[in-house]
Amino acid sequence: MGVAGSSMLARFVSHRLAHPRLAWLGVAVTGLAAVALGTVVWRRARPRRRRRLQQVGTVAQLWIFPIKSCKGVAVSEAECTNMGLRSGHLRDRFWLVVKEDGHMVTARQEPRLVLVSVTYEDDRLILRAPGMDQLVLPSKLPSSNILHDCRIFGLDIKGRDCGDEAAQWFTNYLKREAFRLVQFEKNMKGRPSRKLFPNSVQNYQDTWDEILIGNTEMKKVLACPRCVLTTVDPDTGVIDRKEPLETLKSYRLCDPSEQKIYKSSPLFGIYYSVERTGSLKVGDPVYQMLLPVSDPTVVYRGDRLCPCGEQDQETFPSVACYDQGNLVQDSVYIPAFQ
């Protein structure tokens, strides 16, 4: 997202803070490092209403990125919690490299971070990088480790130090200045955020305003303006600063009416707020939530699909649930959750 995207989201949030009647549902999704990637999202109370689901894709891959700007860990399923994706004890972007003064370090400044691989075994993170011995970190740090004041996109947060061995490992690898590795803890205060994706790889469309994956319900907030980080080659750790941004700018710029929001950044990706936490897995259908039509096929009751012939008298008193064939090809009605 970058500084431009973060500033855009900050302005977006500030506008809404001026309207106290809005019901705020800010949730820290991806912890310490991901506070720079998220946004605050609100939702007005709304009556329950029928929704139609149309399958628009399938989750092909699902990734958790424990350390910001480092390689991810592929998982087959994950829980979408109030603090982001979780698979067992593995959490998404709970670790961050910082300078000694606490300012964050990402692949924008140190592109070779993208070559650091992470595996997870026996509640430990194992880090590997070219020319380096592996580094083994516990997933839970001693409470005696000191807390650092960290600075991320102009925001002050806390991070627990991962120790001198980890600090020396990153310092020796990056070879520029002294670095520390810090960990976010779920009891710490992060940036209010509802952003989930792009942890799930999918063939997204800009028009998917509301989606359902597994039993996780999401709502579009903003398009995602792309920054210079996209020009880092993940195989070499070399930053180009031109492509793919130049190509994206040739056909992925915003509408002129939205230039105050997105400026000259090309748009590729979507910020979604998590309207309902749940779980999702590889192979799950991706449903776009649409306005109702006159001929329903299956009703969704919030946590399950109704079996054939079952009546949902509470939510849909006049609608029978019945299957007209392969669910992948069908539409589904669901209530809009409050």
Side-chain angles (χ1 to χ4, degrees), residues 62 83 111 127 135 161 319 332:
L62 192 60
M83 297 294 287
L127 279 58
L135 173 67
D161 191 270
V319 178
V332 182

Side-chain angles (χ1 to χ4, degrees), residues 3-15:
V3 176
S6 183
S7 299
M8 174 193 69
L9 292 173
R11 294 195 303 271
F12 192 67
V13 169
S14 299
H15 171 74

